[in-house]
Amino acid sequence: MKTQSAAESLQERRRAVDRELERLLEGESRLFEALRYAVLSGGKRFRPLLLLAAGEAFGGSPESLIPYACALELIHDYSLVHDDLPCMDNDDVRRGRPSCHKAFGDGLALLAGDALLTMAFETLANASAEAVGPARKEYAVREIARAAGVRGMIGGQWLDIGRPAPEIDGSVYDELIAKKTGALILAAARAGAVLGSADARGLAAMERYGNGIGRAFQLRDDLLDSKDDGKNGGPVRPNAVAVFGLEGTKNRLFESVDRALQALREVSLHPDELRELAEGLLRFDKDGAHG
Ligand code: IPE
Ligand code: IPE
Ligand code: MG
């Protein structure tokens, strides 16, 4: 029997995540339409795939991990809806089509974001504690909540809008991306590992891995954005290429992925999907990062 490649298994997991998101987002109103528009619109699903890969690497079952994976995607998608609003990045296009507020209006987009964030925590509350053990569930919920909030993603978004781009130096930039993008990615790696029963050594390795790919993820996004300047009429946001230069940004991207891969080699688990997720960040073709 042909064994499944890591890329194929990620595709299969991605379909399972999408099926569950479709189920969660069933509903009749225009508000539900806006939620579906924001979520079921072809994102890479990087964070849920990462949580699933981390959990399964330590023996977790996909079924027990799916609610946590979906919660992460709902939080991520809410953050994109709000990030695109005129009072934030004022972006008219998201995932190749009009952003949520362009399609549904500012008020509905604001509420859609609120509803997605709230649904994420409802989904976590509904996840079976027996399937993973109450202590592991509690760890995962706390980790995801912290990463989404003022000490994580929202704190990073505040740094992002809080000062003009020319004031951003390397250390501010590092803090900004560690919070804005890195926190949720690190939470996916940590929560996945703990839900899958990682021991302290495994968790420490997954933290190094999560930090590496979290950083790499935003460096890659900044490289892609820098090729796409003038895509919106909004303010110029901090970008790694402006801070470190093109070569400096590429070098940092390679270093960060390398650090993540190094961490995987330190624990003997089933790292194929985790390796594939990290290596995808170095590919800029259409399959890169599973986009
Ligand atoms: C875009 O995230 C915003 C960042 C945090 C860099 P993704 O690149 O994961 O966006 P989708 O979900 O694939 O559209
Ligand atoms: C978005 O970051 C990060 C969050 C929504 C938390 P960016 O503003 O850099 O990403 P894009 O370019 O809008 O996808
Ligand atoms: Mg933006």
Side-chain angles (χ1 to χ4, degrees):
M1 199 180 77
K2 183 179 172 292
T3 52
Q4 205 177 31
S5 73
E8 285 164 347
S9 116
L10 287 170
Q11 281 309 321
E12 195 178 302
R13 301 290 180 272
R14 186 198 165 103
R15 285 192 289 275
V17 167
D18 281 346
R19 273 197 303 275
E20 181 59 8
L21 288 170
E22 278 163 26
R23 196 187 67 77
L24 290 168
L25 296 170
E26 268 167 28
E28 294 289 314
S29 63
R30 180 97 177 126
L31 180 55
F32 268 106
E33 251 179 71
L35 303 189
R36 284 194 293 273
Y37 185 90
V39 175
L40 307 173
S41 48
K44 292 183 287 295
R45 310 300 194 222
F46 188 80
R47 296 151 193 81
L49 289 177
L50 172 57
L51 183 136
L52 290 172
E56 289 185 61
F58 290 95
S61 72
E63 302 73 50
S64 68
L65 298 165
I66 277 274
Y68 303 88
C70 288
L72 279 175
E73 183 62 27
L74 292 169
I75 293 170
H76 168 62
D77 291 340
Y78 119 76
S79 82
L80 298 179
V81 171
H82 283 189
D83 182 69
D84 289 338
L85 285 169
C87 59
M88 297 289 289
D89 284 0
N90 192 23
D91 238 320
D92 294 353
V93 177
R94 170 69 58 189
R95 294 173 175 165
R97 60 182 189 166
S99 44
C100 192
H101 69 276
K102 279 283 154 191
F104 291 86
D106 295 359
L108 200 41
L110 186 74
L111 294 178
D114 293 340
L116 292 174
L117 173 59
T118 316
M119 186 183 285
F121 285 94
E122 186 185 354
T123 304
L124 291 173
N126 286 338
S128 153
E130 289 75 50
V132 293
R136 292 184 186 277
K137 173 175 173 176
E138 188 187 320
Y139 176 96
V141 174
R142 186 181 300 120
E143 188 60 36
I144 292 170
R146 191 165 52 98
V150 65
R151 294 185 182 81
M153 186 178 76
I154 292 301
Q157 286 289 70
W158 174 70
L159 286 175
D160 205 47
I161 65 165
R163 62 183 95 195
E167 283 179 21
I168 304 284
D169 62 15
S171 76
V172 176
Y173 178 86
D174 282 342
E175 182 189 349
L176 191 158
I177 65 168
K179 289 183 173 168
K180 170 175 106 162
T181 307
L184 212 54
I185 290 179
L186 178 59
R190 269 188 182 148
V194 166
L195 290 167
S197 309
D199 61 10
R201 187 158 170 266
L203 179 58
M206 287 308 292
E207 283 172 356
R208 286 196 295 283
Y209 169 86
N211 274 317
I213 57 166
R215 190 171 151 78
F217 195 90
Q218 186 64 45
L219 290 166
R220 177 181 195 276
D221 196 67
D222 280 6
L223 276 168
L224 290 168
D225 271 0
S226 73
K227 290 189 204 147
D228 188 24
D229 52 351
K231 70 178 173 166
N232 64 45
V236 178
R237 293 285 174 230
N239 183 297
V241 179
V243 179
F244 304 120
L246 189 59
E247 283 311 302
T249 303
K250 283 184 186 163
N251 289 339
R252 281 173 171 78
L253 171 61
F254 285 122
E255 273 163 27
S256 303
V257 170
D258 202 51
R259 222 175 306 143
L261 294 173
Q262 187 76 38
L264 282 187
R265 284 192 286 271
E266 286 167 28
V267 277
S268 68
L269 22 86
H270 314 291
D272 288 359
E273 284 77 16
L274 293 169
R275 194 186 305 124
E276 174 65 21
L277 286 169
E279 287 172 352
L281 297 173
L282 297 177
R283 291 198 294 267
F284 285 83
D285 55 55
K286 72 174 175 46
D287 295 326
H290 298 276

